[in-house]
Structure formats: structure tokens, C-alpha cells
């Protein structure tokens, strides 16, 4: 038994019968002042709170690099409070809230507000992402330095929702980011190639008469930004990689030693453009659902590490903006509460009977460790070990549940997994020793 209780037997939390990374027999985890002080079988300690882990898998708390919380501006679809609840229930202990709010988060006033609001709610660390350009207009750099120096200490910048398509501006942003040691995250979409595009440019879209979003719209920007990052000596992160071509470009760039990282969303791992046949706008998303060959390439790339991590791109939309004709509907899908289960269904215990791409250590890597490393979070994505922060997620690997979009914590209900029965379930989430979600209920401050 590893023990740092220095003889004092009182602890604040005792997590009973959990299996770190799904390995070995169940052990207990004792926590004091937010730190793991002992791990061992049948710990004999008195605890202010005892939680039964019921033999579940315990992992470091999940970190989402790509979440849309919609506050300020569209609090009718999600707020920092409801989004934080969805995150905690989904096993997340940190999320990065994208800047495409209204007003856009392009000044320290906005990013500091989002940070403070997230701390006030206290269910998850809400890190604001700063806009790269003023108003996401793609013309003038925003005040990256002021946002980085603000209370929120912004460490990631993105115009997500839009692409920084001007190459000179992207070059400047990368050079500036290098100086500030912050990360630029690109929504890779060459807008001249996606004019009017609403679905993946492939056989499905042509058969259904839907204007296509070619793979090249993403891949041409990924290739360009890899080279710009190389020349600027800067890091670049690719949001929601969606194509097999992007995987090959990432492989090439990493082999060149370029500081490029990428995320894949749960929906791009599981869903393909065959879902377009119903014209249900819940399946409309940017970048669009691609072909099954792309899903396979993305899963292999995630297993191999060519794609670094999973990010949800949790994108709430109001019914009036989503449940309308496909061409007009807003793109985007809910993802926070279903992410772990979709990762299990595609990577750990593939529903299609394919070979597992990840074990539970792999899940820890792609949902917690790598995202935290990419964005430089010091106290997230840490090992489940004595002396480390008690920021943990407990998963019941044998559970199975049917998604009910109207039961999810988000205000919006645009989940493409509605009605699906998915494997595994988050049973408890702990943020620095404090239970933030247990047995499907959040524990507000
Ligand atoms: N993914 C989407 O289809 N929509 C996102 C924006 C984005 O991630 O591009 C949104 O904010 O709704
Ligand atoms: Zn995007
Ligand atoms: Zn997004």
C-alpha cells in the first residue's frame, strides 16, 4: 500500500473499490486536501465522505479542448452552469470554452468573465479560449497578449466556427503565439471550397442532392498550417480532424518534427455520411460526417497517436435553429455526456467487432493526459498515484445505457446519439478531492 497519510488517519474522501486504469484488483483511494494520500486494498481510515466505486475503472479526470458553452449570447441553448453539469456528468474536470460566443471572446474582459463564471459554478475548470481575430472576422489579430495576461491566463486561441483562412494573418498569429507560448487551434476549412456546402462531398451527398464539403477544404488548410507552424517555430493544433487525408498530413508533419497536434470528435469516430439519408439535421455538423473509410482511418490514427486526443466539439443548438430544413439548420452536435461511451464503443470494445484500438490506459491518454499536455495544464491529466491531485473519473465499464437527449443536462437536445444504446458509463467525477458528479447527479458547490 502506498501511503502518505503520515500516520494521521482522517481523510476527506475515501473512494472505495476502484481499479486504476482498469488494472489489478479493486483498491481504495484516500484523499486529503484535494491530494491522493493513500492507495491500497481495504484502507483503514476515517473519512468525511465515503464513495463506493463498485469496482469501476478510475482514470484521471477528462479534459475537453473543444467545448461550446454558448455563454454569453445564447444562454437559451446552454450556459456555463448547464454545460459544466453536462461536462461533470460526462467525466470531465476541465473544458476549453470556444470563443464563438456573442459577444465574441476576443478581449480579456470576456475571457476573464467566462473564467470567473466557471469558477463560480465550480463543477469543472472552464478555461476560456480566446479568439485569434477580432470578432472572428479573420482580418485583425485580437489582443492575444492581454487575454493571456488576464486573470483567466488564456493559453489557447481559436476562431473555431471559422477558419483563419488568410495565410499572412495565420502566419502572424503563429509568430505571436510563439512569443507568448500559447497554442493556436485551427478550424481547418478553406471557405472558398465550402461555399454553400452542407454535407460531405461524396456519393451520399450527390445522391441526396446536398452541396458537398470536400475533404480538400480541410486538408489544404492542415497542410498549409503545418508548414506555417514549421516556419514560425510555433505549435499548431488542428480542431476536429475528419478525413483520412488529414491523418496522412499529420503523419507527414509529425515525421518532419513539426509541432502539430490534432483532436478527433466522438461523432467523427462513430458516425458516417450514411446518416444523411434521413435528412435529419441532427446529423449536420462542421466538418461534416465523412465516409466509413474516414472513420476507420481516424480510429486507427487515434490508436496510433497520429491523432493526439479526443475533443467533443459539444455544440448546443436551439430547436428552432436545428429542427428545420437541412440546408438552413445550424451545424453541430452535443457531445459532453456521451463522449466516454462513444470512445468505448469505437475504440475499447468496438461495437462492430473490430480489434480494440485502446485499452483503459489509452483512454486516459486520449481523454485526459494528452489534452492536458497539449495545452499545458499542470494539474490535470496527472497519474492516478499518491501525491497527485485527486482529479479523477470513475467508469462502470460493464454498464449500458440508452441516450435520451431530453434527459441530458444540456438545455439543447441536439444529440445524434439520441435513442442509441451505448456501452460504459461515468459513475463519479472528482475535482481536486470534491465529488462533482455521482450516480448521474451533479453536486453543485
Ligand atoms: N461544429 C459545428 O458544426 N459547429 C460549432 C462550430 C465549429 O466547431 O465549427 C458550433 O459552434 O456550433
Ligand atoms: Zn470548428
Ligand atoms: Zn467547435
Amino acid at each position: 500500500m502506498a501511503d502518505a497519510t503520515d500516520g494521521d488517519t482522517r481523510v476527506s474522501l475515501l473512494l472505495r473499490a476502484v481499479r486504476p486504469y482498469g488494472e489489478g484488483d479493486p483498491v481504495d483511494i484516500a484523499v486529503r486536501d484535494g491530494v491522493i494520500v493513500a492507495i491500497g486494498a481495504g484502507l483503514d481510515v476515517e473519512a468525511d465522505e465515503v464513495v463506493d466505486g463498485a469496482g469501476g475503472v478510475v482514470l484521471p479526470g477528462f479534459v475537453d479542448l473543444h467545448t461550446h458553452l454558448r455563454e454569453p449570447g445564447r444562454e437559451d441553448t446552454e450556459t456555463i452552469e448547464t454545460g459544466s453539469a453536462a461536462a461533470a456528468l460526462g467525466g470531465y474536470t476541465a473544458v476549453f470554452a470556444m470563443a464563438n460566443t456573442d459577444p465574441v471572446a476576443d478581449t480579456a474582459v470576456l475571457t476573464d468573465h467566462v473564467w470567473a463564471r466557471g469558477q463560480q459554478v465550480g463543477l469543472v475548470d472552464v478555461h476560456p479560449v480566446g479568439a485569434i481575430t477580432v470578432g472572428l472576422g479573420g482580418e485583425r489579430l485580437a489582443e492575444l497578449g492581454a487575454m493571456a495576461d488576464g486573470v483567466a491566463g488564456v493559453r489557447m486561441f481559436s476562431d473555431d466556427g471559422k477558419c483563419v483562412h488568410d495565410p499572412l494573418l495565420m502566419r502572424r498569429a503563429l509568430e505571436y503565439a510563439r512569443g507568448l507560448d500559447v497554442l493556436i487551434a485551427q478550424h481547418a476549412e478553406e471557405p472558398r471550397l465550402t461555399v454553400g456546402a452542407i454535407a460531405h462531398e461524396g456519393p451520399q451527398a450527390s445522391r441526396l442532392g446536398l452541396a458537398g464539403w470536400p475533404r480538400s477544404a480541410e486538408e489544404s488548410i492542415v497542410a498549409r498550417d503545418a508548414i506555417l507552424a514549421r516556419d514560425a517555430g510555433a505549435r499548431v493544433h488542428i480542431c476536429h480532424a475528419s478525413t483520412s487525408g488529414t491523418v496522412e498530413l499529420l503523419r507527414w508533419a509529425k515525421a518532419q518534427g513539426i509541432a502539430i497536434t490534432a483532436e478527433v470528435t466522438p461523432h467523427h469516430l462513430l458516425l458516417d455520411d450514411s446518416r444523411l439519408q434521413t435528412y435529419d439535421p441532427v446529423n449536420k455538423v462542421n466538418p461534416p460526417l465523412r465516409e466509413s473509410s474516414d472513420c476507420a482511418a481516424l480510429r486507427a490514427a487515434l490508436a496510433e497517436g497520429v491523432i493526439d486526443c479526443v475533443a467533443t466539439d459539444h455544440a448546443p443548438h436551439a430547436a428552432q435553429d436545428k429542427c428545420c430544413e437541412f440546408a438552413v439548420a445550424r451545424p453541430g452536435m452535443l457531445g459532453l455526456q456521451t463522449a466516454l461511451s462513444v470512445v468505448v464503443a469505437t475504440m475499447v470494445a468496438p461495437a462492430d467487432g473490430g480489434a480494440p484500438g485502446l485499452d483503459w490506459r489509452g483512454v486516459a491518454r486520449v481523454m485526459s493526459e494528452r489534452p492536458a499536455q497539449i495545452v499545458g495544464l499542470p494539474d490535470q491529466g496527472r497519474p492516478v498515484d499518491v501525491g497527485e491531485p485527486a482529479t479523477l473519473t470513475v467508469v462502470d465499464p460493464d454498464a449500458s445505457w440508452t441516450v435520451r437527449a431530453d434527459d441530458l443536462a444540456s438545455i439543447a437536445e441536439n444529440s445524434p446519439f439520441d435513442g442509441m444504446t451505448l456501452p460504459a458509463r461515468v459513475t463519479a467525477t472528482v475535482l481536486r478531492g470534491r465529488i462533482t458528479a455521482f450516480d448521474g447527479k451533479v453536486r453543485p458547490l
Side-chain angles (χ1 to χ4, degrees):
M1 173 180 105
D3 186 334
T5 55
D6 49 60
D8 180 349
T9 58
R10 187 135 199 95
V11 296
S12 46
L13 171 68
L14 183 61
L15 196 47
R16 281 228 184 273
V18 288
R19 301 169 59 235
Y21 308 101
E23 296 164 356
D25 295 331
V27 291
D28 301 340
I29 296 181
V31 177
R32 184 186 300 128
D33 302 330
V35 175
I36 298 173
V37 292
I39 296 180
L43 288 185
D44 177 16
V45 290
E46 280 166 66
D48 301 338
E49 178 163 20
V50 180
V51 167
D52 178 8
V57 175
V58 63
L59 303 170
F62 302 155
V63 174
D64 188 16
L65 294 184
H66 191 152
T67 299
H68 296 275
L69 295 184
R70 304 299 198 217
E71 182 181 345
R74 285 305 306 261
E75 290 86 345
D76 58 315
T77 66
E78 196 79 287
T79 65
I80 288 170
E81 184 168 10
T82 58
S84 295
L89 290 166
Y92 286 92
T93 50
V95 299
F96 283 75
M98 285 295 182
N100 65 336
T101 47
D102 178 12
V104 164
D106 58 9
T107 65
V109 169
L110 267 292
T111 49
D112 286 354
H113 163 77
V114 169
W115 169 254
R117 188 78 191 100
Q119 291 297 298
Q120 215 176 32
V121 171
L123 288 172
V124 66
D125 287 347
V126 177
H127 293 277
V129 176
I132 298 170
T133 67
V134 173
L136 307 185
E139 284 165 11
R140 278 187 304 124
L141 285 184
E143 325 158 341
L144 278 61
M147 290 186 270
D149 290 347
V151 171
V154 176
R155 54 187 70 234
M156 178 159 84
F157 293 85
S158 181
D159 274 9
D160 181 65
K162 294 196 175 164
C163 179
V164 180
H165 56 85
D166 178 316
L168 179 56
L169 202 62
M170 187 60 176
R171 178 179 178 180
R172 293 271 176 274
L174 288 164
E175 289 166 346
Y176 200 179
R178 180 184 175 198
L180 291 169
D181 190 22
V182 296
L183 181 66
I184 297 289
Q186 176 73 286
H187 166 108
E189 174 185 353
E190 168 46 63
R192 298 291 296 132
L193 294 174
T194 60
V195 177
I198 53 174
H200 165 65
E201 183 181 84
Q204 287 287 359
S206 10
R207 200 165 55 77
L208 298 167
L210 299 173
W213 215 110
R215 293 189 180 88
S216 56
E218 174 176 305
E219 295 161 6
S220 58
I221 294 291
V222 172
R224 180 200 78 174
D225 287 359
I227 291 166
L228 290 178
R230 178 195 66 193
D231 294 354
R235 295 178 290 142
V236 68
H237 179 76
I238 302 299
C239 295
H240 42 48
S242 74
T243 77
S244 51
T246 292
V247 168
E248 290 319 306
L249 287 164
L250 291 167
R251 193 190 308 280
W252 168 81
K254 290 186 171 197
Q256 308 295 313
I258 296 170
I260 190 168
T261 53
E263 69 194 33
V264 61
T265 69
H267 46 273
H268 286 112
L269 287 172
L270 180 63
L271 309 176
D272 64 39
D273 64 350
S274 63
R275 287 181 59 104
L276 293 174
Q277 296 174 59
T278 64
Y279 288 101
D280 184 339
V282 82
N283 298 307
K284 184 175 181 180
V285 62
N286 280 341
L289 300 179
R290 302 289 185 180
E291 297 172 40
S292 56
S293 56
D294 296 290
C295 296
L298 294 169
R299 296 186 193 184
L302 183 64
E304 192 188 338
V306 172
I307 289 181
D308 300 81
C309 68
V310 170
T312 68
D313 195 8
H314 178 83
H317 285 296
Q320 70 267 21
D321 299 326
K322 200 55 173 161
C323 308
C324 49
E325 63 183 287
F326 199 88
V328 173
R330 300 292 307 134
M333 306 172 156
L334 296 184
L336 283 168
Q337 279 181 260
T338 46
L340 180 274
S341 294
V342 173
V343 169
V344 172
T346 52
M347 304 300 298
V348 179
D352 62 7
L358 296 173
D359 59 9
W360 288 108
R361 280 202 181 269
V363 173
R365 184 183 80 240
V366 301
M367 293 193 77
S368 179
E369 295 163 2
R370 278 302 285 140
Q373 282 161 3
I374 286 167
V375 77
L377 278 188
D379 64 343
Q380 298 267 357
R382 300 292 305 159
V384 178
D385 207 347
V386 169
E388 295 290 351
T391 296
L392 304 165
T393 298
V394 183
V395 173
D396 175 354
D398 307 319
S400 127
W401 62 295
T402 300
V403 179
R404 292 277 315 275
D406 56 5
D407 269 354
L408 299 174
S410 295
I411 298 170
E413 300 181 358
N414 54 306
S415 168
F417 310 109
D418 188 29
M420 276 190 191
T421 297
L422 295 175
R425 187 109 207 226
V426 170
T427 55
T429 312
V430 187
L431 176 61
R432 290 184 286 275
R434 191 166 47 81
I435 303 277
T436 54
F438 181 64
D439 208 13
K441 293 183 193 59
V442 291
R443 296 267 188 94
L445 270 180

